[in-house]
Amino acid sequence: MNSITNFLSILAIIGAIASGGFYFLNLQEANNLAQELQTANSQLSATQSKNIEQSSKIDDLSAQLQQSNLSIEEARSNITVISARSNQLKRENGRLSDELDRRLDKEESLQIALADLKKEMAELRANSISLDKATEYETEIASLEARILQLKNSQPTSPTSSLADTYRNLKAAPGGLNGQILTVGPQSSFVVINLGYTSGVRLDHLLEIQRDGKLVANIQVTEVKENLSIARILPESMATDPETGDLVLSGNL
């Protein structure tokens, strides 16, 4: 009987120990679970915080993306404006280029005209005589005409002999001369012709003035320029008054 009681006591003790062990294990497991739950809650909170932070970043990125889209649209608009302005500038540049070409052509034409004017001025200077010189010749010729008239009145001679005496100091001009009268002096006392030193004309050369194939008068060269000469009209030979444009040819002695 005591043995059974002892056995039962032992079983009771073992049961109590087992119950205590199970309780301890369950308590420890509960603590572990609570700790794991707390850790999970902490991780969840951290994850939620990260999610909130990520959401904030996403919102910021969305705002930046929207701003970038606005900037892109503005840039596209600016590109359109710049492209239109560029096309306008190209057209303006083309117009200015054409205008420059026209001005260059006009300037070239003016340069050519200026060169021609300078050349013409140089020729005029080479062919011109001073007013004082022309007046001097006019006075000299008038004096000679007066002397000739005096001689004619005081010593009558035939026109042929008088003309021969006048021609005594004249020189034969080279053949083939062909020019024109540029100016006729007062009272047909002298003429300016377009034949000069370069044409072979020299002082005292005898030349003829002709019109329509007929002799107008004989002239004596009194001054020679490069491209023109001054000649006095020999009164005895004058058939009619010379005119500007009359032909001037080589004379015959």
Side-chain angles (χ1 to χ4, degrees):
M1 187 68 178
N2 288 332
S3 297
I4 295 171
T5 302
N6 289 333
F7 178 74
L8 292 173
S9 296
I10 291 170
L11 288 175
I13 292 170
I14 292 172
I17 292 171
S19 296
F22 284 124
Y23 175 76
F24 178 77
L25 290 175
N26 288 333
L27 181 61
Q28 186 176 4
E29 185 176 357
N31 290 333
N32 290 336
L33 290 174
Q35 187 175 1
E36 289 178 359
L37 180 61
Q38 185 178 0
T39 301
N41 287 331
S42 298
Q43 291 177 350
L44 179 60
S45 297
T47 302
Q48 288 177 346
S49 297
K50 288 183 179 180
N51 288 337
I52 293 172
E53 184 179 355
Q54 292 296 329
S55 296
S56 178
K57 288 182 178 180
I58 290 172
D59 292 338
D60 291 340
L61 290 174
S62 297
Q64 292 177 5
L65 180 60
Q66 186 176 4
Q67 184 65 33
S68 297
N69 289 333
L70 292 176
S71 298
I72 291 173
E73 291 298 326
E74 184 178 358
R76 287 176 178 173
S77 178
N78 291 335
I79 289 173
T80 302
V81 173
I82 291 172
S83 179
R85 180 59 178 167
S86 177
N87 292 332
Q88 182 181 0
L89 289 175
K90 286 180 180 179
R91 291 192 297 270
E92 184 68 15
N93 184 53
R95 186 185 67 80
L96 292 176
S97 179
D98 293 340
E99 180 68 19
L100 179 60
D101 290 339
R102 286 193 295 270
R103 290 189 178 185
L104 289 176
D105 292 340
K106 186 176 181 180
E107 182 180 354
E108 184 178 359
S109 299
L110 291 175
Q111 290 289 350
I112 294 174
L114 179 60
D116 292 340
L117 287 175
K118 287 182 177 179
K119 182 179 179 181
E120 183 177 352
M121 184 179 294
E123 292 177 353
L124 288 175
R125 286 177 178 173
N127 297 335
S128 63
I129 59 173
S130 65
L131 180 60
D132 293 339
K133 195 68 175 177
T135 303
E136 180 182 344
Y137 277 112
E138 182 181 351
T139 303
E140 181 181 353
I141 291 169
S143 176
L144 290 173
E145 287 180 342
R147 288 180 60 190
I148 291 171
L149 182 60
Q150 182 181 3
L151 289 173
K152 287 175 66 177
N153 292 333
S154 62
Q155 187 178 357
T157 57
S158 66
T160 304
S161 62
S162 176
L163 187 60
D165 291 338
T166 303
Y167 289 0
R168 186 173 300 166
N169 295 326
L170 296 178
K171 300 176 182 178
L177 293 179
N178 191 336
Q180 288 182 327
I181 293 178
L182 299 177
T183 304
V184 179
Q187 299 177 354
S188 299
S189 56
F190 69 93
V191 293
V192 179
I193 62 176
N194 64 351
L195 298 174
Y197 195 85
T198 56
S199 301
V201 176
R202 300 293 184 270
L203 287 176
D204 293 327
H205 272 174
L206 176 66
L207 303 174
E208 291 183 358
I209 300 174
Q210 291 189 10
R211 186 188 310 145
D212 298 329
K214 296 180 180 180
L215 178 66
V216 174
N218 290 314
I219 56 176
Q220 178 185 6
V221 177
T222 57
E223 183 171 346
V224 182
K225 296 285 186 179
E226 183 179 0
N227 294 310
L228 61 80
S229 299
I230 301 172
R232 73 183 186 92
I233 297 175
L234 302 177
E236 298 87 347
S237 67
M238 190 166 64
T240 184
D241 290 333
E243 298 177 356
T244 300
D246 285 346
L247 293 179
V248 178
L249 307 174
S250 302
N252 296 316
L253 287 175

